[in-house]
């Protein structure tokens, strides 16, 4: 699971009002090499919840020097975009789980794939 | 997966049907790969994404990633959801580029509002029309799916579903729930007159009205609505897809006579009396 996906994931369990952001408890993390596409990164930044991204990166110990607040005029700031690219697309959680901040319900992650299946009473 | 063969969703629920051996078969079959890629290409065309821009897309029922691979080839980034862990395992082995999730589309899409620039789904939506558990209500599951999908799409984006509808009632059920959830759009049918090439694409618009794209292969432009499915309520529309005429009708008799002529037999000439109903003493 990449952090870009994590930034968009919420708990959709019935009755939960604030199932975002899911807290990450990772036992295995991998950093891959992914082609840098500044256009894509720049387009995704406004869609991100920046604080959730920083928090997730912190939880994985992969934050490095990612700023706590969005840098203005980031479209042409290649250095900044590269940092964001790394955190969004290159850091991957392989094993662990995602924890709902409201209910504590855990979604396991196995082989990099989170399991979001709900039981009948959670629907 | 045509209407000729037994429909897989009548055999077992999708997470049971797509077990390890089926997943392996599915992903190694070159014909399957070719068809899925073609349908993914058409679905992306119907998505009408802005040119030259890498987008963030959702692939519902991504399976082993055949459609996802096409999205990656086009330069897009994607998230895939599927209920079968066996199929997703094959996707991992194939090293697909998209992020994968195990999920049941009938339970809703677990994403923040406005996440995706578009959504495709190849050969998956018909699975939602069957109740695999006693607690399942297909209309409710369809509505849950469409309403959560609607919110997870950014305004102005589209969702395109290639599906194999069993009958027109199923099509209506699906489109009704999609409209209830707020989507605009409708069904696009490619090659409506060919039993083999005919393909159904449910093309939904999130938050913007637009003209429904035209189906391919619709030459009879007189009718003006030739790219839309004519609902007649007749089951026979889907039943006789083998391309042969109905038993004992005039067409069938004429065809049979033609066949026998080709075989070199002596056959009476075709007249206005051919295939006429006789008095019941025969």
């Amino acid at each position: 699971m990449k952090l870009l996906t994590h930034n968009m994931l919420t708990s959709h369990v019935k009755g939960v009002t604030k199932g975002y952001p899911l807290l990450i408890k990772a036992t295995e993390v991998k950093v891959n090499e992914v082609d840098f596409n500044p256009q894509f990164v720049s387009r995704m930044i406004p869609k991100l919840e920046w604080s959730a991204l920083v928090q997730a990166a912190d939880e994985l110990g992969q934050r490095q020097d990612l700023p706590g607040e969005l840098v203005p005029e980031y479209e042409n700031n290649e250095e900044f975009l590269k940092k964001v690219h790394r955190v969004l697309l290159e850091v991957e959680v392989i094993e662990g789980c995602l924890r709902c901040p409201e209910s504590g319900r855990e979604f396991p992650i196995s082989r990099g794939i989170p399991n979001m299946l709900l039981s009948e009473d959670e629907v | 997966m045509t209407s000729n063969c037994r429909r897989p969703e009548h055999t077992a629920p999708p997470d049971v049907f797509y077990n390890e051996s089926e997943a392996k078969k599915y992903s190694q079959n070159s014909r399957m790969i070719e068809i899925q890629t073609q349908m993914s290409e058409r679905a992306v065309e119907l998505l009408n994404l802005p040119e030259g821009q890498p987008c963030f897309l959702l692939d519902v029922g991504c399976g082993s990633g055949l459609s996802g691979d096409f999205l990656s080839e086009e330069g897009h980034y994607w998230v895939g959801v599927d209920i079968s862990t066996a199929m997703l395992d094959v996707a991992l082995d194939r090293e697909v580029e998209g992020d994968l999730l195990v999920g049941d589309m009938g339970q809703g899409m677990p994403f923040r509002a406005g996440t995706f620039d578009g959504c495709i789904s190849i050969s998956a939506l018909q699975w939602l029309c069957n109740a695999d558990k006693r607690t399942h209500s297909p209309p409710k599951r369809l509505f849950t799916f469409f309403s959560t999908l609607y919110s997870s799409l950014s305004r102005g984006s589209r969702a395109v579903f290639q599906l194999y509808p069993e009958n027109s009632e199923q099509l209506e059920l699906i489109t009704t729930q999609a409209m209830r959830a707020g989507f605009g759009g409708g069904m696009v049918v490619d090659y409506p007159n060919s039993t083999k090439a005919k393909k159904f694409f449910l093309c939904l618009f999130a938050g913007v009205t637009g003209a429904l794209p035209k189906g391919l292969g619709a030459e009879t432009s007189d009718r003006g609505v030739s790219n839309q499915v004519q609902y007649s309520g007749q089951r026979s529309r889907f039943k006789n897809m083998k391309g042969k005429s109905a038993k004992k009708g005039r067409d069938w008799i004429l065809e049979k006579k033609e066949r026998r002529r080709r075989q070199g037999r002596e056959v009476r000439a075709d007249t206005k009396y051919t295939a006429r109903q006789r008095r019941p003493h025969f």
Side-chain angles (χ1 to χ4, degrees):
Chain A
M1 178 199 68
K2 304 197 172 87
L3 290 188
L4 170 58
T5 306
H6 166 261
N7 198 269
M8 308 298 175
L9 270 176
T10 69
S11 164
H12 53 316
V13 172
K14 187 173 69 175
V16 169
T17 41
K18 191 76 172 68
Y20 180 88
L22 296 167
L23 308 161
I24 314 179
K25 286 178 21 202
T27 50
E28 194 188 323
V29 177
K30 207 167 63 146
V31 180
N32 309 304
E33 239 191 73
V34 176
D35 287 338
F36 174 52
N37 188 326
Q39 194 191 11
F40 180 70
V41 179
S42 172
R43 273 193 65 233
M44 291 309 292
I45 287 179
K47 291 199 196 191
L48 300 171
E49 269 281 336
W50 190 257
S51 51
L53 179 67
V54 174
Q55 188 187 341
D58 260 332
E59 281 169 339
L60 300 181
Q62 293 286 342
R63 183 175 165 183
Q64 293 186 351
D65 47 356
L66 195 70
E69 294 239 342
L70 243 193
V71 164
E73 315 263 321
Y74 52 77
E75 288 97 352
N76 298 311
N77 188 337
E78 190 170 304
E79 218 189 282
F80 175 72
L81 289 180
K82 278 207 171 128
K83 289 187 203 163
V84 179
H85 163 84
R86 188 186 164 276
V87 169
L88 281 184
L89 298 173
E90 292 189 337
V91 175
E92 205 183 330
V93 179
I94 305 295
E95 299 286 333
C97 69
L98 297 168
R99 208 178 128 85
C100 173
E102 189 181 300
S103 64
R105 200 263 204 222
E106 291 192 351
F107 299 95
I109 305 177
S110 163
R111 289 189 78 190
I113 307 181
N115 188 326
M116 309 299 290
L117 284 174
L118 303 177
S119 61
E120 284 312 309
D121 42 307
E122 288 177 310
V123 180
Chain B
M1 315 279 149
T2 65
S3 306
N4 278 348
C5 329
R6 214 162 25 142
R7 293 184 66 92
E9 60 265 24
H10 290 168
T11 311
D15 44 341
V16 171
F17 182 85
Y18 289 110
N19 55 20
E20 265 175 50
S21 63
E22 186 67 34
K24 201 162 153 217
K25 258 199 294 166
Y26 194 97
S27 321
Q28 287 176 349
N29 183 329
S30 55
R31 185 170 163 268
M32 185 59 72
I33 296 174
E34 195 190 316
I35 295 177
Q36 295 284 310
T37 308
Q38 267 172 18
M39 296 196 292
S40 308
E41 200 176 323
R42 178 65 174 138
V44 173
E45 190 187 327
L46 291 171
L47 266 185
N48 205 29
L49 297 169
E51 278 237 20
Q53 230 179 68
C55 294
F56 193 42
L57 304 172
L58 177 62
D59 186 344
V60 177
C62 62
S64 46
L66 294 178
S67 45
D69 278 346
F70 178 75
L71 296 178
S72 298
E73 256 171 68
E74 295 287 294
H76 300 303
Y77 296 78
W78 55 278
V79 174
V81 179
D82 202 278
I83 199 174
S84 162
T85 43
M87 289 288 256
L88 291 173
D89 277 339
V90 175
L92 284 178
D93 293 336
R94 296 177 68 250
E95 297 190 342
V96 298
E97 288 178 33
D99 249 8
L100 306 169
L101 298 172
V102 182
D104 179 349
M105 46 170 152
Q107 292 182 344
M109 294 290 100
F111 303 106
R112 271 195 296 123
T115 296
F116 297 106
D117 301 318
C119 166
I120 65 163
S121 174
I122 307 295
S123 315
L125 194 55
Q126 68 270 8
W127 286 94
L128 213 46
C129 299
N130 296 275
D132 296 321
K133 299 196 175 120
R134 237 174 354 111
T135 47
H136 278 183
S137 150
K140 179 160 178 266
R141 283 166 55 79
L142 279 163
F143 180 73
T144 304
F145 169 62
F146 282 126
S147 52
T148 50
L149 178 66
Y150 184 84
S151 86
S152 67
L153 287 169
S154 59
R155 297 309 91 192
S157 56
R158 296 186 185 183
V160 177
F161 299 84
Q162 181 277 327
L163 72 153
Y164 295 105
E166 197 173 341
N167 49 44
S168 54
E169 284 82 31
Q170 211 183 63
L171 274 178
E172 237 188 88
L173 171 65
I174 293 172
T175 27
T176 307
Q177 298 307 321
M179 301 302 143
R180 269 188 70 210
F183 280 110
M187 202 63 79
V188 176
V189 186
D190 284 349
Y191 309 107
N193 302 315
S194 160
T195 42
K196 261 188 100 180
K198 190 175 193 177
K199 291 284 181 293
F200 291 87
F201 290 90
L202 177 63
C203 194
L204 300 176
F205 305 142
V208 120
T209 38
L212 199 58
K214 273 208 157 70
L216 298 173
E219 307 102 74
T220 53
S221 47
D222 278 348
R223 290 145 94 208
V225 284
S226 55
N227 62 326
Q228 287 169 24
V229 178
Q230 313 290 345
Y231 294 136
S232 60
Q234 287 172 335
R235 303 198 72 131
S236 59
R237 177 165 284 275
F238 291 91
K239 247 202 194 149
N240 203 344
M241 297 186 87
K242 277 199 176 147
K244 294 193 191 149
S245 306
K247 239 195 259 180
K248 313 298 184 192
R250 184 158 195 272
D251 294 324
W252 180 85
I253 290 181
L254 289 172
E255 275 169 32
K256 181 162 184 189
K257 289 177 78 172
E258 196 46 54
R259 239 180 290 139
R260 290 175 71 90
R261 279 190 200 106
R262 274 184 259 134
Q263 287 170 3
R265 299 179 199 251
E266 205 190 282
V267 182
R268 292 282 184 112
D270 293 336
T271 70
K272 64 177 177 179
Y273 298 109
T274 305
R276 189 185 54 132
Q277 287 272 6
R278 267 65 173 183
R279 260 187 307 132
H281 64 71
F282 272 137

